[in-house]
Amino acid sequence: MKIKICGLRRIEDIDYANLYRPDYIGFVFANSKRKVDYDTAKLLSERLDPSIIPVGVFVNEGIDNIVKLVKNRIIRVVQLHGDEDEQYIRTLRDALITATTDDVTIIKAIRVKSKDQLKEECQMSADMFLLDAFSEAEYGGTGKRFDCSLIPDIDKPYVLAGGVNPENVFEICDEIKKNNVMMPFCMDVSSSVEKDGYKDKIKIESMINAVRNLEC
């Protein structure tokens, strides 16, 4: 199983990632306390070990801005957290194909309300889905777990987010196993590896070790 550490915004965060080697890291370009601008993301991406894949996290972003970040190799995966629909995803994919020869993965985040709702939204043409808890807040992650029994048997890889931490990752996997559905491709964490609002070296190490030791 893969691991993604999201919301990196400092040189120290990149150094922690280079030391403990998550599979993915996330740069947030949407409005958030973890938001980074183009220049900061460029600086951090250049410092990132090439074996770690940088992901751009967006909410209703202009397609040209996303293409620019991919074309300049600041990000290699696109993660959509807003109201992006099927038409947006198709337009974005066409623009990425035109601008770059890279095969760019598109992840669409879905807030889980019900099994039927989730199964319907997973029909979109994104390459992968990120499943998070439902929240009344307009956008953004929740940091809270959702009922894993709501995960249907979908035919694309998915990323599991929302309240995942080193202490409960084994329990979460056991819950999903009981449902006889596909296991997550990746675990996504942000606030659970922070201390006083910033990424914490020890918590990152603990989270990565926990996922690496999973037997799913």
Side-chain angles (χ1 to χ4, degrees), residues 21-111:
R21 302 295 179 90
D23 302 283
Y24 302 87
I25 60 93
F27 295 133
V28 178
F29 295 95
N31 287 329
S32 162
K33 65 181 181 181
R34 303 180 184 92
K35 181 178 180 178
V36 295
D37 59 22
Y38 178 93
D39 290 335
T40 301
K42 183 175 186 296
L43 175 68
L44 297 179
S45 185
E46 288 171 348
R47 191 180 180 95
L48 184 68
D49 186 285
S51 67
I52 303 170
I53 299 174
V55 180
V57 179
F58 305 95
V59 170
N60 303 331
E61 185 64 63
I63 286 177
D64 288 347
N65 293 335
I66 298 176
V67 170
K68 180 181 177 182
L69 287 159
V70 173
K71 189 174 181 179
N72 292 329
R73 307 195 68 81
I74 295 171
I75 61 170
R76 290 158 55 194
V77 172
V78 176
Q79 185 173 309
L80 306 173
H81 273 260
D83 304 308
E84 303 90 1
D85 58 11
E86 176 64 17
Q87 183 58 54
Y88 180 101
I89 293 171
R90 289 181 181 274
T91 302
L92 172 61
R93 192 183 301 282
D94 289 344
L96 290 169
I97 291 171
T98 300
T100 174
T101 58
D102 294 339
D103 185 13
V104 181
T105 298
I106 298 175
I107 303 172
K108 181 67 179 87
I110 299 175
R111 291 180 169 188

Side-chain angles (χ1 to χ4, degrees), residues 109-111 116-124 129:
I110 299 175
R111 291 180 169 188
D116 288 342
Q117 165 257 344
L118 183 53
K119 196 163 187 176
E120 180 179 351
E121 293 196 42
C122 285
Q123 299 303 310
M124 286 190 285
F129 298 99

Side-chain angles (χ1 to χ4, degrees), residues 143-146 148 160-176 187-189 192 206-207 210-211 214 216:
K144 297 180 180 178
R145 289 180 59 181
F146 66 90
C148 290
L160 191 70
V164 179
N165 60 56
E167 289 72 39
N168 66 21
V169 68
F170 296 98
E171 176 188 345
I172 290 171
C173 282
D174 283 342
E175 290 179 6
I176 297 173
M187 293 288 187
D188 187 305
V189 297
S192 67
S206 180
M207 186 68 226
V211 172
L214 285 173
C216 294

Side-chain angles (χ1 to χ4, degrees), residues 10-11 13-14 20 26 34 46 61 81 103 149 152 154 166-167 181 194 199 201 215:
R10 306 176 300 161
I11 292 293
D13 300 341
I14 297 297
Y20 296 117
R34 303 180 184 92
E46 288 171 348
E61 185 64 63
H81 273 260
D103 185 13
S149 69
I154 56 180
E167 289 72 39
V181 296
E194 292 181 346
K199 294 294 181 283
K201 179 180 179 181
E215 296 180 1

